[in-house]
Amino acid sequence: MENLDPDVPNRSDEHLSPPTDCSPAGRRYAITTFGCQMNKADSERMAGILEAMGYQHEEDELAADLVIYNTCSIRDNAEQKVYSYLGRQAQRKRRNPHLTLVVAGCVAQQEGESLLRRVPELDLVMGPQHANRLDSLLEQVERGQQVVATADHHILEDLTKPRRGSTVTAWVNVIYGCNERCTYCVVPATRGGEQSRTPQAIAREIGDLARQGYKEITLLGQNIDAYGRDLPGITPSGRRCHTLTDLLHFIHPVEGIERIRFATSHPRYFTQRLITACAELPKVCEHFHIPFQSGDDEVLRQMARGYTVSRYRRIIQSIRQVMPEAAISADAIVGFPGETEEQFQNTLQLVEDIGFDQLNTAAYSPRPHTPAATRPDQLPETVKLDRLRRLNGLAERCARQRNQRYAHKVVEVLVEGANPKNPQQLMGRTRTNRLVFLPATAGHGPGDLVQVHIDVVRPFSLSGSLAPSA
Ligand code: SF4
């Protein structure tokens, strides 16, 4: 996009442009979210803040009076998409100065005020640590300020009710930020250092969710195994709550919640104690998302991941020893700088040996301010894409094979709602996080736990009918 104002001076939470009339009454907002679950959870909280201020939700971002792009910088293509969306909105803003334009999330944090130089029509650029103070930032915009909020910030305990996308399942942030330094990753730069919420605040939020009828929660953290290490860690009952395992024990008794999940796990910190707790606590689901990133020790070392392939294999083995039906999903990157064909073959071997239920794959994409991006041995796109295609083929074959174990079995499904593509069907998930479709005529609705006989198995979903005993 053309830079229309190359002379935008440094600004931080200050104003330089004429006032924008953005008082909320009768105004409509739209939020477009890119990237991970953390961003989706941030968007739900920002939507809650806006509705508490008096804004109304608008599906069409081209009809909204306030538009937020909650951005992701993990890969270049997601970042470029935001710039193309912003181009359209900048044109709208030139016709309608009362439009409020906000860029939130990781691109905002990464680019800061240079975003204002690139898109001078923006009113607010805010990093992820500032999501909970959207209201006060918008008040500054209303006073005529063009605001950049990217300074390191202690995340405020959120008092606003998020506008959640589901009435059955909910995300609950337990730790923000990340202290790791994986050499390919922008997250520590964009989301800052680790900040754990207190166990009491987390339990309170989960209790509220249970009272509203939610049945399943997913505890979220960029590296959830780091939970609690920055906390004094004493609960009112005098128990220490220093780890994710302690937290699972602490929240497990909340009445009304039937299922507990957590993500994202880090193989460096994943403990036997956690595995034992997951096996012993009945509400904790048998699904583990543990990214391995590469199946080669030397590549892992260069990524600064802090574990070996054999440690990863031992973790999965330990999980399967006590929870044989557990689903394992992971993230993997191909084409890291200097990755040889032989090292890539080690990744294929690991995938073949483990047999993942689901694998999220990506071709390595150099990100600004990361050590790996400056390496001279970047691989050609053609090599990266070829490896990605081969890995995806294997991952799909593994998922298909793993799903066969559900054929003609009866599984517990938590109904989440109607299938948006087929209103004759309900959809829900197994404890192992498999998507299941069943006939809507079954007389069940969102929030019900039902037993489903699986008739059709596909690589990424299942279909069935209510089991006779239900
Ligand atoms: S653990 Fe590594 S990959 Fe994950 S957010 Fe932290 S730095 Fe990024």
Side-chain angles (χ1 to χ4, degrees):
M1 183 187 304
E2 191 188 344
N3 176 7
L4 298 175
D5 181 6
D7 295 318
V8 175
N10 286 352
R11 355 181 145 176
S12 178
D13 288 18
E14 60 174 336
H15 82 105
L16 290 162
S17 62
T20 299
D21 175 11
C22 69
S23 56
R27 282 167 57 91
R28 290 164 305 155
Y29 74 92
I31 303 182
T32 302
T33 309
F34 301 84
C36 66
Q37 289 169 329
M38 298 290 285
N39 260 18
K40 289 175 188 152
D42 286 350
S43 288
E44 289 186 346
R45 291 204 316 282
M46 289 193 287
I49 291 170
L50 290 171
E51 296 197 358
M53 290 174 77
Y55 284 91
Q56 286 162 12
H57 180 246
E58 167 64 58
E59 278 298 327
D60 179 2
E61 63 179 49
L62 293 176
D65 307 295
L66 181 148
V67 176
I68 299 180
Y69 291 110
N70 193 9
T71 59
C72 169
S73 58
I74 207 105
R75 286 188 242 305
D76 191 50
N77 53 1
E79 195 174 323
Q80 294 314 320
K81 213 187 268 179
V82 173
Y83 287 117
S84 89
Y85 287 17
L86 279 176
R88 273 186 309 181
Q89 294 292 356
Q91 280 180 13
R92 276 186 75 210
K93 173 97 179 182
R94 289 196 284 273
R95 291 194 303 271
N96 171 16
H98 296 306
L99 172 65
T100 305
L101 274 185
V102 181
V103 176
C106 293
V107 174
Q109 184 68 34
Q110 179 184 292
E111 300 299 318
E113 63 189 59
S114 70
L115 254 176
L116 293 187
R117 282 194 281 274
R118 196 162 170 177
V119 190
E121 293 81 1
L122 283 173
D123 295 287
L124 171 58
V125 175
M126 52 184 284
Q129 294 179 46
H130 296 262
N132 287 0
R133 56 189 289 257
L134 176 63
D135 45 359
S136 66
L137 295 171
L138 284 175
E139 278 162 19
Q140 291 180 55
V141 170
E142 196 177 348
R143 290 199 296 274
Q145 302 178 5
Q146 196 176 28
V147 179
V148 177
T150 53
D152 244 8
H153 183 69
H154 180 75
I155 294 172
L156 303 170
E157 191 49 52
D158 183 30
L159 299 174
T160 312
K161 279 197 173 25
R163 180 187 197 272
R164 300 198 186 257
S166 161
T167 55
V168 178
T169 66
W171 291 306
V172 176
N173 282 98
V174 303
I175 177 170
Y176 301 97
C178 180
N179 286 5
E180 299 301 301
R181 289 293 176 269
C182 302
T183 57
Y184 53 84
C185 182
V186 282
V187 166
T190 56
R191 288 192 170 263
E194 291 164 0
Q195 294 184 43
S196 301
R197 294 176 68 199
T198 64
Q200 293 81 0
I202 295 165
R204 230 180 355 257
E205 181 174 347
I206 295 172
D208 283 348
L209 287 166
R211 280 186 285 282
Q212 290 167 49
Y214 284 86
K215 294 291 190 306
E216 177 181 304
I217 51 138
T218 302
L219 307 178
L220 280 188
Q222 218 75 52
N223 168 11
I224 199 152
D225 296 284
Y227 175 76
R229 48 189 187 195
D230 57 324
L231 288 178
I234 305 292
T235 65
S237 60
R239 284 181 54 198
R240 290 158 69 82
C241 197
H242 273 312
T243 65
L244 175 61
T245 308
D246 298 332
L247 181 66
L248 288 176
H249 281 284
F250 186 65
I251 60 161
H252 194 267
V254 175
E255 262 181 54
I257 297 297
E258 307 276 358
R259 290 178 172 186
I260 300 171
R261 304 181 189 277
F262 56 88
T264 299
S265 300
H266 196 309
R268 184 177 192 170
Y269 304 104
F270 205 93
T271 62
Q272 185 60 45
R273 194 171 159 251
L274 177 61
I275 295 172
T276 307
C278 294
E280 286 175 359
L281 295 171
K283 293 181 186 174
V284 178
C285 292
E286 301 79 21
H287 170 228
F288 299 88
H289 184 72
I290 316 177
F292 64 87
Q293 306 301 11
S294 169
D296 183 83
D297 282 344
E298 177 53 26
V299 175
L300 286 175
R301 193 188 64 72
Q302 292 175 21
M303 288 175 163
R305 289 287 290 171
Y307 54 86
T308 59
V309 177
S310 50
R311 175 175 165 77
Y312 189 86
R313 287 177 188 271
R314 279 198 305 277
I315 291 170
I316 307 303
Q317 205 179 14
S318 302
I319 291 172
R320 285 180 171 164
Q321 253 164 22
V322 287
M323 290 168 275
E325 290 301 312
I328 312 288
S329 61
D331 302 337
I333 297 172
V334 298
F336 188 75
E339 183 193 64
T340 63
E341 173 62 24
E342 194 186 344
Q343 289 169 329
F344 171 64
Q345 289 290 337
N346 288 338
T347 293
L348 292 180
Q349 190 62 55
L350 180 68
V351 173
E352 184 88 53
D353 293 347
I354 300 276
F356 289 95
D357 293 79
Q358 189 177 334
L359 188 62
N360 305 326
T361 60
Y364 169 76
S365 161
R367 306 310 301 132
H369 319 300
T370 59
T374 61
R375 284 181 51 161
D377 50 353
Q378 305 289 330
L379 298 188
E381 284 304 306
T382 47
V383 172
K384 291 195 254 181
L385 293 179
D386 175 59
R387 289 182 187 170
L388 186 62
R389 184 186 52 74
R390 286 148 68 198
L391 181 59
N392 284 343
L394 175 59
E396 183 173 333
R397 180 159 62 75
C398 289
R400 190 186 297 273
Q401 275 169 5
R402 288 285 295 162
N403 263 5
Q404 286 307 323
R405 71 191 198 278
Y406 298 109
H408 313 300
K409 295 256 170 62
V410 174
V411 292
E412 180 199 271
V413 173
L414 175 60
V415 177
E416 294 180 13
N419 175 1
K421 292 187 187 148
N422 179 357
Q424 310 300 316
Q425 287 184 332
L426 293 173
M427 56 185 248
R429 285 179 191 271
T430 63
R431 286 175 62 92
T432 52
N433 209 32
R434 267 290 161 245
L435 187 59
V436 179
F437 299 103
L438 62 149
T441 49
H444 289 283
D448 289 345
L449 279 171
V450 294
Q451 299 293 321
V452 177
H453 183 271
I454 300 301
D455 306 315
V456 181
V457 173
R458 290 175 289 271
F460 303 110
S461 65
L462 310 167
S463 292
S465 43
L466 267 195
S469 58

